[in-house]
Amino acid sequence: MNIVIEAYQTSDLPSMIAIWNEVVEEGIAFPQLNPLNDTTGPEFFAAQTYCGVAKNTENGEILGLYILHPNNEGRCGHISNASYAVSSRVRGLHIGEQLVLDCMAQGKAHGFRILQFNAVVRTNTHARHLYERLGFQQLGVIPGGFLMKDGHYEDICPYYHLL
């Protein structure tokens, strides 16, 4: 499978919404409670600084995506934040790594100096290992900072990387 990471097109939105909602519904990584729909999805993705999609060049299928946006504003507006989603059908193929690397390049290209993740769930070991392998630094632990779908609270681990 040949994969390219590129800016999303409006024709990608149905697949992007489906993949995003899959992660939201799993309830173990994204803070959102409500899925996107045909109205909120396009608005949500359009509001981001940049959205990248992982596309199978052989058939055009969207396999994953990321959103990039400011983490704050004003004097902290140079710090970016991002979220990544990969379809459960293709997890384990290093698509997430390609998304993160592209996001780091896009963050720098869009004038951000830092990429910060506010709420990486402690039990999301695959993401944490990826971030650490790519040079992200963990800032600490926020005890019980994430409400899991099953109702228990899990620690979150903020990370950052200088761009």
Side-chain angles (χ1 to χ4, degrees), residues 5 16 30 36 38 47 49 55 73 76 84 88 95 108 111 115 121 128 131 157 159 162:
I5 311 297
M16 293 170 67
F30 281 4
L36 299 173
D38 292 341
T49 301
K55 188 176 284 189
E73 61 183 40
C76 293
Y84 309 91
S88 62
I95 295 168
K108 190 171 186 173
L115 178 56
V121 180
R128 294 184 63 212
Y131 301 150
C157 305
Y159 282 87
L162 299 177

mmCIF file of all heavy atoms in Angstrom, residues 5 16 30 36 38 47 49 55 73 76 84 88 95 108 111 115 121 128 131 157 159 162:
data_model
loop_
_atom_site.group_PDB
_atom_site.id
_atom_site.type_symbol
_atom_site.label_atom_id
_atom_site.label_comp_id
_atom_site.label_asym_id
_atom_site.label_seq_id
_atom_site.Cartn_x
_atom_site.Cartn_y
_atom_site.Cartn_z
ATOM 1 N N ILE A 5 0.493 11.718 2.509
ATOM 2 C CA ILE A 5 -0.170 12.638 3.430
ATOM 3 C C ILE A 5 -0.328 13.953 2.687
ATOM 4 O O ILE A 5 0.651 14.509 2.188
ATOM 5 C CB ILE A 5 0.641 12.858 4.728
ATOM 6 C CG1 ILE A 5 1.087 11.539 5.352
ATOM 7 C CG2 ILE A 5 -0.165 13.712 5.712
ATOM 8 C CD1 ILE A 5 -0.019 10.628 5.810
ATOM 9 N N MET A 16 -13.369 11.394 6.570
ATOM 10 C CA MET A 16 -12.771 12.031 7.740
ATOM 11 C C MET A 16 -13.733 12.005 8.919
ATOM 12 O O MET A 16 -13.335 11.695 10.046
ATOM 13 C CB MET A 16 -12.375 13.470 7.407
ATOM 14 C CG MET A 16 -11.248 13.586 6.401
ATOM 15 S SD MET A 16 -10.998 15.288 5.818
ATOM 16 C CE MET A 16 -10.419 16.109 7.316
ATOM 17 N N PHE A 30 -9.960 10.601 22.569
ATOM 18 C CA PHE A 30 -10.383 11.969 22.280
ATOM 19 C C PHE A 30 -11.305 12.473 23.388
ATOM 20 O O PHE A 30 -12.147 11.727 23.881
ATOM 21 C CB PHE A 30 -11.149 12.035 20.954
ATOM 22 C CG PHE A 30 -10.308 12.028 19.703
ATOM 23 C CD1 PHE A 30 -8.932 11.892 19.740
ATOM 24 C CD2 PHE A 30 -10.910 12.158 18.475
ATOM 25 C CE1 PHE A 30 -8.168 11.885 18.588
ATOM 26 C CE2 PHE A 30 -10.165 12.160 17.307
ATOM 27 C CZ PHE A 30 -8.798 12.028 17.366
ATOM 28 N N LEU A 36 -19.318 13.966 15.108
ATOM 29 C CA LEU A 36 -19.562 14.979 14.080
ATOM 30 C C LEU A 36 -20.650 14.478 13.141
ATOM 31 O O LEU A 36 -20.869 13.279 13.019
ATOM 32 C CB LEU A 36 -18.280 15.244 13.289
ATOM 33 C CG LEU A 36 -17.086 15.778 14.083
ATOM 34 C CD1 LEU A 36 -15.841 15.828 13.217
ATOM 35 C CD2 LEU A 36 -17.401 17.144 14.676
ATOM 36 N N ASP A 38 -22.978 15.726 9.233
ATOM 37 C CA ASP A 38 -22.776 16.374 7.933
ATOM 38 C C ASP A 38 -22.713 17.901 8.021
ATOM 39 O O ASP A 38 -22.217 18.551 7.099
ATOM 40 C CB ASP A 38 -23.891 15.965 6.963
ATOM 41 C CG ASP A 38 -23.810 14.501 6.589
ATOM 42 O OD1 ASP A 38 -22.731 13.900 6.763
ATOM 43 O OD2 ASP A 38 -24.818 13.948 6.117
ATOM 44 N N ALA A 47 -12.406 24.925 10.441
ATOM 45 C CA ALA A 47 -11.954 25.852 11.476
ATOM 46 C C ALA A 47 -10.503 25.602 11.901
ATOM 47 O O ALA A 47 -9.927 26.424 12.619
ATOM 48 C CB ALA A 47 -12.873 25.758 12.692
ATOM 49 N N THR A 49 -6.347 25.145 11.547
ATOM 50 C CA THR A 49 -5.278 25.781 10.785
ATOM 51 C C THR A 49 -4.927 24.928 9.569
ATOM 52 O O THR A 49 -4.710 25.445 8.474
ATOM 53 C CB THR A 49 -4.026 25.974 11.662
ATOM 54 O OG1 THR A 49 -4.379 26.783 12.791
ATOM 55 C CG2 THR A 49 -2.893 26.635 10.891
ATOM 56 N N LYS A 55 -3.780 9.131 2.613
ATOM 57 C CA LYS A 55 -4.566 8.591 1.510
ATOM 58 C C LYS A 55 -3.812 7.442 0.843
ATOM 59 O O LYS A 55 -2.617 7.553 0.571
ATOM 60 C CB LYS A 55 -4.838 9.697 0.496
ATOM 61 C CG LYS A 55 -5.801 9.327 -0.614
ATOM 62 C CD LYS A 55 -6.086 10.509 -1.530
ATOM 63 C CE LYS A 55 -7.024 11.477 -0.849
ATOM 64 N NZ LYS A 55 -7.516 12.549 -1.733
ATOM 65 N N GLU A 73 -3.855 31.486 22.380
ATOM 66 C CA GLU A 73 -3.886 32.683 21.532
ATOM 67 C C GLU A 73 -2.900 33.711 22.056
ATOM 68 O O GLU A 73 -2.251 33.518 23.078
ATOM 69 C CB GLU A 73 -5.298 33.274 21.497
ATOM 70 C CG GLU A 73 -5.805 33.698 22.865
ATOM 71 C CD GLU A 73 -7.228 34.222 22.825
ATOM 72 O OE1 GLU A 73 -8.058 33.661 22.109
ATOM 73 O OE2 GLU A 73 -7.489 35.217 23.532
ATOM 74 N N CYS A 76 0.724 33.228 23.523
ATOM 75 C CA CYS A 76 0.959 31.778 23.472
ATOM 76 C C CYS A 76 0.490 31.194 22.137
ATOM 77 O O CYS A 76 0.411 29.977 21.976
ATOM 78 C CB CYS A 76 0.245 31.072 24.622
ATOM 79 S SG CYS A 76 0.923 31.485 26.245
ATOM 80 N N TYR A 84 -4.870 13.178 16.162
ATOM 81 C CA TYR A 84 -4.656 12.215 15.090
ATOM 82 C C TYR A 84 -5.684 11.095 15.195
ATOM 83 O O TYR A 84 -6.006 10.649 16.296
ATOM 84 C CB TYR A 84 -3.253 11.601 15.190
ATOM 85 C CG TYR A 84 -2.179 12.644 15.310
ATOM 86 C CD1 TYR A 84 -1.748 13.093 16.551
ATOM 87 C CD2 TYR A 84 -1.623 13.210 14.175
ATOM 88 C CE1 TYR A 84 -0.777 14.070 16.662
ATOM 89 C CE2 TYR A 84 -0.644 14.195 14.278
ATOM 90 C CZ TYR A 84 -0.234 14.621 15.526
ATOM 91 O OH TYR A 84 0.724 15.593 15.629
ATOM 92 N N SER A 88 -9.530 2.078 12.360
ATOM 93 C CA SER A 88 -9.179 0.844 13.077
ATOM 94 C C SER A 88 -8.780 -0.273 12.121
ATOM 95 O O SER A 88 -8.030 -1.167 12.494
ATOM 96 C CB SER A 88 -10.333 0.399 13.975
ATOM 97 O OG SER A 88 -11.475 0.104 13.193
ATOM 98 N N ILE A 95 0.853 4.463 10.029
ATOM 99 C CA ILE A 95 0.199 5.624 9.428
ATOM 100 C C ILE A 95 0.215 6.793 10.408
ATOM 101 O O ILE A 95 0.439 7.940 10.015
ATOM 102 C CB ILE A 95 -1.232 5.271 8.978
ATOM 103 C CG1 ILE A 95 -1.156 4.225 7.856
ATOM 104 C CG2 ILE A 95 -2.001 6.509 8.543
ATOM 105 C CD1 ILE A 95 -2.481 3.575 7.518
ATOM 106 N N LYS A 108 5.468 23.838 11.609
ATOM 107 C CA LYS A 108 6.577 24.773 11.382
ATOM 108 C C LYS A 108 6.272 25.689 10.196
ATOM 109 O O LYS A 108 6.482 26.893 10.262
ATOM 110 C CB LYS A 108 7.867 23.984 11.150
ATOM 111 C CG LYS A 108 9.089 24.835 11.139
ATOM 112 C CD LYS A 108 10.354 23.990 11.135
ATOM 113 C CE LYS A 108 11.563 24.887 11.269
ATOM 114 N NZ LYS A 108 12.790 24.127 11.432
ATOM 115 N N GLY A 111 4.117 28.596 10.978
ATOM 116 C CA GLY A 111 4.637 29.573 11.926
ATOM 117 C C GLY A 111 4.586 29.178 13.389
ATOM 118 O O GLY A 111 4.915 29.989 14.253
ATOM 119 N N LEU A 115 4.809 22.162 19.285
ATOM 120 C CA LEU A 115 3.636 21.300 19.156
ATOM 121 C C LEU A 115 3.410 20.673 20.516
ATOM 122 O O LEU A 115 4.316 20.032 21.062
ATOM 123 C CB LEU A 115 3.858 20.229 18.081
ATOM 124 C CG LEU A 115 2.738 19.219 17.867
ATOM 125 C CD1 LEU A 115 1.403 19.887 17.561
ATOM 126 C CD2 LEU A 115 3.118 18.243 16.750
ATOM 127 N N VAL A 121 -3.783 10.162 26.895
ATOM 128 C CA VAL A 121 -4.215 9.245 27.950
ATOM 129 C C VAL A 121 -3.076 8.272 28.275
ATOM 130 O O VAL A 121 -2.449 7.713 27.368
ATOM 131 C CB VAL A 121 -5.495 8.494 27.524
ATOM 132 C CG1 VAL A 121 -5.953 7.536 28.619
ATOM 133 C CG2 VAL A 121 -6.604 9.500 27.201
ATOM 134 N N ARG A 128 1.932 7.087 22.974
ATOM 135 C CA ARG A 128 2.998 7.593 23.835
ATOM 136 C C ARG A 128 4.367 7.127 23.374
ATOM 137 O O ARG A 128 5.317 7.902 23.333
ATOM 138 C CB ARG A 128 2.736 7.196 25.289
ATOM 139 C CG ARG A 128 1.469 7.878 25.847
ATOM 140 C CD ARG A 128 1.238 7.578 27.297
ATOM 141 N NE ARG A 128 2.352 8.104 28.068
ATOM 142 C CZ ARG A 128 2.792 7.535 29.187
ATOM 143 N NH1 ARG A 128 2.246 6.442 29.656
ATOM 144 N NH2 ARG A 128 3.804 8.083 29.835
ATOM 145 N N TYR A 131 5.274 9.150 20.216
ATOM 146 C CA TYR A 131 5.682 10.519 20.523
ATOM 147 C C TYR A 131 7.089 10.544 21.119
ATOM 148 O O TYR A 131 7.927 11.377 20.759
ATOM 149 C CB TYR A 131 4.694 11.191 21.466
ATOM 150 C CG TYR A 131 3.276 11.262 20.938
ATOM 151 C CD1 TYR A 131 2.196 11.244 21.807
ATOM 152 C CD2 TYR A 131 3.014 11.323 19.573
ATOM 153 C CE1 TYR A 131 0.897 11.312 21.334
ATOM 154 C CE2 TYR A 131 1.720 11.382 19.094
ATOM 155 C CZ TYR A 131 0.668 11.375 19.974
ATOM 156 O OH TYR A 131 -0.621 11.429 19.504
ATOM 157 N N CYS A 157 -1.069 12.560 30.152
ATOM 158 C CA CYS A 157 0.342 12.930 30.099
ATOM 159 C C CYS A 157 0.538 13.964 28.990
ATOM 160 O O CYS A 157 0.528 13.607 27.813
ATOM 161 C CB CYS A 157 1.186 11.694 29.799
ATOM 162 S SG CYS A 157 0.914 10.331 30.946
ATOM 163 N N TYR A 159 2.507 16.334 26.453
ATOM 164 C CA TYR A 159 3.781 16.241 25.736
ATOM 165 C C TYR A 159 4.018 17.507 24.935
ATOM 166 O O TYR A 159 3.049 18.189 24.564
ATOM 167 C CB TYR A 159 3.766 15.068 24.746
ATOM 168 C CG TYR A 159 3.960 13.712 25.375
ATOM 169 C CD1 TYR A 159 2.881 13.004 25.871
ATOM 170 C CD2 TYR A 159 5.216 13.124 25.436
ATOM 171 C CE1 TYR A 159 3.040 11.752 26.420
ATOM 172 C CE2 TYR A 159 5.395 11.864 25.971
ATOM 173 C CZ TYR A 159 4.304 11.189 26.473
ATOM 174 O OH TYR A 159 4.480 9.934 27.024
ATOM 175 N N LEU A 162 9.643 20.941 20.323
ATOM 176 C CA LEU A 162 10.029 22.196 19.676
ATOM 177 C C LEU A 162 10.068 21.961 18.170
ATOM 178 O O LEU A 162 10.629 20.965 17.711
ATOM 179 C CB LEU A 162 11.406 22.675 20.161
ATOM 180 C CG LEU A 162 11.534 22.983 21.655
ATOM 181 C CD1 LEU A 162 12.966 23.378 21.967
ATOM 182 C CD2 LEU A 162 10.565 24.061 22.061
#
